[in-house]
Amino acid sequence: MAPDAKGSAGAVQTACRNIELMLGSSGAYRKVEDGLYCIKQGSTLVMISVHPWGKRAVVRLAAQLVKGVSMEVPLALHLLETNALLRFGAFAYVPAGEVIIFAHTLLDRDLGDREEFLGTIRDFALVADDYDDRIAAQYGGQTMQDLLEESGLHRLTGDDRPVKDLS
């Protein structure tokens, strides 16, 4: 293993261990696999992933806010204007699936202070939870909660048809 790869592997392991220690007591936290964690906040899921970066590691926070929304000028302007006002994190658009995400990246050295890290996660999750509903209400698409509920209903009923309201 090259020296940089060995250094980044150690940094990734250390970052994962720190994240697990800091989030371990939270009932909203789940470890999906090594280097990938999930936190539920309201109608959104925040994914926390750890990646090598040179001799260090980066911690990526990402929340899928809305799926199936068409990117048009009013929505793009709204997201860009909101990005300029946020303390951290930014909205992005993924054309495959017509998905709006909210994302933020931390360096592994940002994991040293438990309260600061948990505050960052909490604030990030609250922004994601607030904006998923706002965006879906104004521009269409489905929130993560909508998708999870639909998926759960499909599993329960064995019915692959889209779920519609009674009205």
Side-chain angles (χ1 to χ4, degrees), residues 3-167:
D4 277 356
K6 188 175 184 180
S8 67
V12 167
Q13 288 174 341
T14 300
C16 290
R17 187 171 45 253
N18 287 340
I19 289 169
E20 290 172 22
L21 287 171
M22 289 188 274
L23 295 177
S25 62
S26 170
Y29 148 82
R30 297 287 181 272
K31 180 177 179 177
V32 177
E33 61 186 41
D34 288 341
L36 182 62
Y37 311 91
C38 178
I39 293 180
K40 174 112 170 71
Q41 173 62 47
S43 58
T44 194
L45 293 174
V46 174
M47 303 305 293
I48 302 169
S49 55
V50 182
H51 307 276
W53 184 55
K55 294 180 182 180
R56 306 210 59 133
V58 293
V59 178
R60 184 83 168 148
L61 310 178
Q64 177 179 308
L65 303 185
V66 180
K67 180 181 171 81
V69 63
S70 183
M71 180 53 71
E72 297 180 9
V73 172
L75 173 58
L77 290 174
H78 176 81
L79 297 177
L80 286 171
E81 289 169 356
T82 305
N83 279 347
L85 302 173
L86 296 171
R87 283 186 290 160
F88 53 78
F91 296 103
Y93 183 71
V94 180
E98 298 182 309
V99 176
I100 295 174
I101 64 169
F102 185 56
H104 183 66
T105 303
L106 303 165
L107 296 174
D108 56 355
R109 67 177 174 234
D110 295 328
L111 301 176
D113 184 313
R114 182 178 190 272
E115 292 310 311
E116 186 175 310
F117 176 70
L118 294 177
T120 299
I121 299 293
R122 182 189 62 246
D123 290 353
F124 181 89
L126 289 172
V127 169
D129 183 39
D130 182 29
Y131 277 93
D132 66 345
D133 296 323
R134 286 189 197 191
I135 293 166
Q138 189 166 357
Y139 301 101
Q142 292 179 290
T143 66
M144 180 59 80
Q145 183 69 37
D146 296 337
L147 293 168
L148 289 172
E149 288 174 0
E150 187 175 288
S151 173
L153 186 58
H154 288 207
R155 264 186 272 151
L156 285 174
T157 64
D159 188 347
D160 287 336
R161 293 176 296 164
V163 179
K164 299 190 180 192
D165 291 337
L166 291 173
S167 51

